[in-house]
Amino acid sequence: MNTPLLAELTTTGVGGAAHSLVRATTDEQIITTIRAADATGTPLLLVAGGSNLLIDDAGYPGTVLQIATEGVHIGKTLSDGRVRVEIAAGHPWDDVVAQSLAAGLSGLEALSGIPGSAGATPVQNVGAYGSEVAHTFLEATVFDRSTGTVSNFGTAALGFGYRDSLLKRTTTNGSPEFVVLSVSFALEASSQSAPIRYAELARSLGVGVGERAAARAVRETVLALRASKGMVFDPTDRDSCSTGSFFTNPIVPASALASLPADAPNFPVDTPGMVKLSAAWLIDRAGFAKGFGLPGTAGESLGGGRASLSTKHTLAITNRGQASSADILAIARAVRAGVRDRFGIELHNEPLLIGCEL
């Protein structure tokens, strides 16, 4: 059976063919496909926006389920005055943000421009510019593959952490036990944003950290900031042909700061005695500038090379036109080793690696 290259379903544009590909536009199709795969022991890969996957060029030996359900429903006002918004798992995330603001609701504006689908956002507690999904999340409706039933998980049940949740942790051979069918958020009926938590965003808006601004202005500012870093997906901009941030910001014991330069950025986290470092700063200070490439993965001209760090942001590893999964991983390994050698800090990949490893 001929199937499209999985590269066509990802923002990095890397990945071979699947043994079979099913595009599901209803929850019933999603559940039927999962049950059929599980009944025969067929490996299953879920794809929606494809923005957090690096798939091997050998392709995928099982069933690829493309979740393409769509729909945004503005629901009832909750007891605390916030408004429930329910979204189908396959709906493009940035459209969710735009629709919520058009409906006079705020809370998601700092998450503007993030590629991918709504159903993927709670899996790793997607976040940016001081905001994260956990701040406004209400519940997820999921299909439980172990019991064959549909159930709802609230915030407490998902155990959100930094780029982490129960949904991400509960997998078998890289395939999730709980498949998200829809997600719900509780948003404020306000034209004002949630409090601004990120210093760069606050400066750009001309407000102080902790203050509010017009929600639409926050969205426009975030989109501009992300675009300046190649973090708004645009197929014509090779700097955006990536998984976004390839590495998470390391969370380390506060004692580790003693061995780092005094100007190393660090941020508080909920875990006592721990701090969060800037992966981008570590990468840059370890000697990996924007546009860094390797012989065989990037040529003298970035436009003609195959893979490199983004020319706009050191956290993104980009496909310059003809990159393979091996090209992307070669850059990632070099960067990880360089940061480890320079600072003793181990970087960890943020995207899922399918059929390959770092």
Side-chain angles (χ1 to χ4, degrees), residues 208-221:
V209 173
E211 295 180 354
R212 298 175 185 260
R216 288 179 181 272
V218 173
R219 171 172 169 76
E220 292 170 359
T221 302

Side-chain angles (χ1 to χ4, degrees), residues 7-73:
E8 298 173 13
L9 304 181
T10 69
T11 52
T12 300
V14 169
H19 180 267
S20 65
L21 174 66
V22 177
R23 187 174 187 272
T25 58
T26 68
D27 289 351
E28 291 74 18
Q29 289 176 326
I30 294 172
I31 293 171
T32 298
T33 303
I34 294 171
R35 283 178 169 157
D38 288 348
T40 57
T42 302
L44 181 68
L45 173 64
L46 304 181
V47 178
S51 60
N52 198 46
L53 297 174
L54 179 63
I55 304 174
D56 191 73
D57 293 293
Y60 191 73
T63 297
V64 174
L65 173 56
Q66 184 184 13
I67 297 178
T69 52
E70 293 194 1
V72 177
H73 175 68

Side-chain angles (χ1 to χ4, degrees), residues 11 50 62 79 91 99 116 123 127 145 156 172 208 222 260-261 267 282 294 338 341 346 349:
T11 52
S79 59
H91 201 97
Q99 286 201 42
V123 175
R145 293 168 66 183
T172 301
V222 167
L260 295 175
F267 311 93
L282 292 169
L294 290 169
D341 291 346
E346 188 79 12
N349 54 286

Side-chain angles (χ1 to χ4, degrees), residues 5 16 86 147 185 205 233 241 265 274 354:
L5 290 177
E86 183 173 349
T147 63
F185 293 86
L205 289 163
F233 181 62
C241 295
M274 305 293 283
I354 308 300

Side-chain angles (χ1 to χ4, degrees), residues 118-183:
T121 60
V123 175
Q124 62 171 28
N125 190 18
V126 165
Y129 293 100
S131 180
E132 61 185 23
V133 162
H135 292 154
T136 52
F137 183 81
L138 195 59
E139 66 178 5
T141 299
V142 305
F143 176 67
D144 183 340
R145 293 168 66 183
S146 66
T147 63
T149 60
V150 174
S151 58
N152 294 322
F153 285 175
T155 301
L158 289 187
F160 285 122
Y162 172 63
R163 302 298 178 268
D164 190 39
S165 76
L166 173 73
L167 299 172
K168 183 177 180 179
R169 295 190 295 270
T170 314
T171 62
T172 301
N173 296 324
S175 190
E177 290 294 313
F178 304 109
V179 178
V180 178
L181 302 175
S182 66
V183 291

